[in-house]
Amino acid sequence: MQIDQLYDIYKAFPKVVTDTRHIAVDSIFFALKGANFNGNAFADQAIAAGAKYVVIDEPQYQKGDHYIVVEDVLSTLQHLAKYHRSHLNIPVIGVTGTNGKTTTKELLHAVLSQKYKTYSTVGNLNNHIGVPLTLLSINNSYEIAIVEMGANHVGEIALLSDIAQPTHGLITNVGKAHLEGFGSFEGVKKTKGELYDFLQENDGTLFLQSDNVELLEMANARTFNKIVRYGFSDQNDVTGKLLYANPYLSISWKMKDTTPIYELTTRLTGSYNIENLLAAIAVGLHFEVSPIPVNMGIEGYIPKNNRSQITKTAKNTIIADFYNANASSMSAALDNMRVLEAEHKVVILGDMFEMGEDAYAEHKKIIELAKSLRLDRLIFVGEEFYAQREPEGEYYRTTEEAKSAIPTIENSFILLKASRGMAFEKLLEQL
């Protein structure tokens, strides 16, 4: 079957699923394979659950005209998404970065939705499967789209850019994350920079935090016809200033060569989020959203999914920030604790995953930074932290072990920060 023929089927039945638990009536099921599963084996189940068609790549599972056999299901899904993208005559904003890309994506959505019917990546569908699913969820009623792109290996952002074909893009920052896959910090910069490469080659518009040394260096190594700059110094098109971050973030901002200064108060915590706010402001203004609606969109945004999210319980106030963690985001979260005003401050930190050969050194740096804050309690959880335990602080091998220590914490401002695999929601339940 040619891609245009498959596209005709998709247009007639535009609901695409890859999990039989989420089959919708008249959907198309793509039978993906993984290390421990073979979607082809679930083709019959998908049809029985209501799927109109199943796309498979093992002919022995074919049982009729509604079983479409292709050479490779994943590449077919990606090819179909790219083909669909070519039929969408709308701006597509690609967002990547080490930290803050999901928060930035959601802030962009909040701002652009003030004027346009906007589609953005749902949850964290930002990889080689998620990006195609995102694109195939966009229909002709949408006026603009935001596609989050994640990676943990060199070449992945290039692949996702080729599929999503962004007309605009931004990198939030580059830091030490997924070093196991990238090999080094230079590998991180090379991979994230693949979005810049695509924009350069396709005359796209770059949104640049031009006070970020690494991002500025990466941009200057390429040629762009259209750059919108944001940051903290006066040469930017949008300039911002921190007003307050205790605990919620308030900023002022202005446009270049204009006199009005705007202020806004968010439901986000963490001064590190100011760059994400300025990105959303810059993008909104570029797409002619007026300043007041820009502020309205941002002020109405409520973070979720344990990203810079303040949670108040009967006993404590908690910064729930354990969706993910790496060396740069952990440092930023600790620096934020330094400026927060509270009588009792506690940090509970869990291991950072996928740090490769840098794991020992990076966890050591975090221990030293946490000690410098002079907080009421320092609690470290996970094998990496436990391997270098010191007299100062409390150390536990696992999250389950740490649960025994935390019920005694009361009337405190607590940072919960760890990689997702540490399952810190178990600790949140007891605080």
Side-chain angles (χ1 to χ4, degrees), residues 63-108:
K63 294 183 180 179
D65 294 341
H66 291 265
Y67 292 69
I68 301 170
V69 182
V70 298
E71 185 173 336
D72 181 80
V73 170
L74 175 58
S75 63
T76 299
L77 176 69
Q78 294 170 341
H79 193 184
L80 178 65
K82 181 178 178 180
Y83 193 76
H84 176 55
R85 166 67 185 101
S86 71
H87 289 77
L88 294 171
N89 188 27
I90 61 172
V92 172
I93 306 166
V95 178
T96 191
T98 301
N99 303 311
K101 54 185 173 290
T102 298
T103 297
T104 300
K105 174 258 300 183
E106 293 180 353
L107 288 168
L108 293 182

Side-chain angles (χ1 to χ4, degrees), residues 278-324:
L278 294 176
I281 293 167
V283 171
L285 294 174
H286 176 77
F287 285 102
E288 299 182 345
V289 182
S290 299
I292 299 305
V294 164
N295 278 7
M296 289 174 60
I298 292 173
E299 292 185 331
Y301 168 66
I302 299 176
K304 52 187 181 298
N305 296 329
N306 303 311
R307 289 183 172 93
S308 300
Q309 182 177 343
I310 292 182
T311 301
K312 293 189 177 183
T313 69
K315 295 188 293 184
N316 300 290
T317 300
I318 301 153
I319 298 178
D321 196 6
F322 49 85
Y323 186 85
N324 216 335

Side-chain angles (χ1 to χ4, degrees), residues 406-431:
I406 66 173
T408 60
I409 302 175
E410 294 185 359
N411 302 317
S412 296
F413 206 112
I414 305 169
L415 169 65
L416 278 179
K417 181 74 174 169
S419 283
R420 179 70 191 90
M422 292 301 297
F424 260 27
E425 63 271 12
K426 296 178 181 177
L427 302 184
L428 184 61
E429 295 169 0
Q430 292 189 222
L431 292 169

Side-chain angles (χ1 to χ4, degrees), residues 139-157:
N139 60 45
N140 288 325
S141 71
Y142 289 98
E143 300 172 292
I144 195 166
I146 307 153
V147 178
E148 180 182 334
M149 299 187 290
N152 53 24
H153 290 87
V154 173
E156 284 187 283
I157 297 300

